[in-house]
Amino acid sequence: MEKQRFSIEKELRCKSANIIWPLLSTPEGLSKWIADEVERDGDQLRFTWGEVWSHHEIKTASVLEEARGEYIRYSWENGIDEDDFWELRIEKSDITGDYILIITDHALPEDIESLESIWESNLEQLHHTTGL
């Protein structure tokens, strides 16, 4: 079965891309809302959930494409094909002037709901740690 693309949008109540962009593209920023720890080596990022000395999970992702201040596209190490990526994009709202975070990901149809739930939880963590 083929993975399907889905997107989630979240208004960030922030008018500065310079504040938002590091949260999407740096290990320090990503570790505030996606994983407990993120390390970067070139275009490779290692995401760790949980404590390394106890139960934990580690996944590696590669940066596929980046337009600084606009979007960054990642692919998990076990990505099946070139369309199997996740992307973090920011766009400015014409109405409010605030930035909107658009998350695009891919999942099997039966997994979309649970992956959306994970992203929603990540967005709650982003709001909790940064106020955005």
Side-chain angles (χ1 to χ4, degrees):
M1 188 172 274
E2 196 170 304
K3 289 187 174 186
Q4 295 179 354
R5 183 181 297 198
F6 67 92
S7 295
I8 298 171
E9 293 186 15
K10 172 76 172 163
E11 188 167 353
L12 297 179
R13 294 190 181 111
C14 181
K15 296 181 181 351
S16 173
N18 292 330
I19 291 171
I20 299 167
W21 186 248
L23 296 168
L24 312 181
S25 62
T26 68
E28 298 80 16
L30 292 166
S31 66
K32 289 183 185 210
W33 67 290
I34 291 185
D36 295 316
E37 183 179 337
V38 181
E39 297 173 342
R40 186 169 184 163
D41 184 13
D43 283 343
Q44 298 287 313
L45 289 98
R46 190 171 81 201
F47 294 79
T48 304
W49 293 269
E51 301 297 338
V52 175
W53 58 85
S54 64
H55 179 72
H56 67 281
E57 179 181 358
I58 296 174
K59 289 181 81 173
T60 302
S62 299
V63 176
L64 297 178
E65 193 175 329
E66 179 178 357
R68 187 165 183 77
E70 295 178 32
Y71 73 91
I72 188 162
R73 186 174 288 179
Y74 298 97
S75 175
W76 293 118
E77 182 176 71
N78 60 351
I80 297 168
D81 58 47
E82 64 186 41
D83 289 333
D84 189 11
F85 64 86
W86 50 286
E87 179 181 275
L88 305 173
R89 177 179 296 271
I90 54 173
E91 294 180 359
K92 194 160 195 159
S93 168
D94 292 335
I95 297 169
T96 65
D98 289 335
Y99 276 91
I100 299 167
L101 172 60
I102 304 162
I103 300 168
T104 302
D105 204 345
H106 297 80
L108 295 172
E110 63 269 19
D111 296 333
I112 288 176
E113 190 175 310
S114 67
L115 195 52
E116 285 177 331
S117 178
I118 290 169
W119 279 116
E120 291 294 338
S121 178
N122 288 342
L123 288 168
E124 287 176 23
Q125 182 66 22
L126 176 66
H127 178 71
H128 179 71
T129 59
T130 66
L132 298 179

